[in-house]
Amino acid sequence: MKKNIKELREKYISNPPEGMTSEDIRHMSEDDLLDMDYFLNEDVFGDDFGEEGFYIF
């Protein structure tokens, strides 16, 4: 798992998310890094908005 975290850290250092810097990524704990990756890549809110369309009645 350490190898995956290292790869993940390098990915975000080379292309940090909006509002963050590569320096921020360097100083993140492993847990924070994994949490950030989950939040950025998963549908954490479980909303399917837009999948069936938007209708106004």
Side-chain angles (χ1 to χ4, degrees), residues 1-7 12-17 21 24-27 33 40 43-44 47 49 51-52 55:
M1 180 143 173
K2 294 283 184 183
K3 181 180 178 184
N4 294 340
I5 292 173
K6 183 178 178 180
E7 291 171 0
Y12 286 117
I13 286 173
S14 65
N15 188 18
T21 66
D24 294 333
I25 305 299
R26 281 188 187 94
H27 294 292
L33 186 64
L40 291 172
D43 184 15
V44 294
D47 60 357
F49 183 77
E51 289 188 12
E52 295 179 13
Y55 304 99

Side-chain angles (χ1 to χ4, degrees), residues 32-45:
D32 289 341
L33 186 64
L34 291 171
D35 288 345
M36 179 186 73
D37 182 60
Y38 178 79
F39 180 77
L40 291 172
N41 294 302
E42 297 293 325
D43 184 15
V44 294
F45 298 112

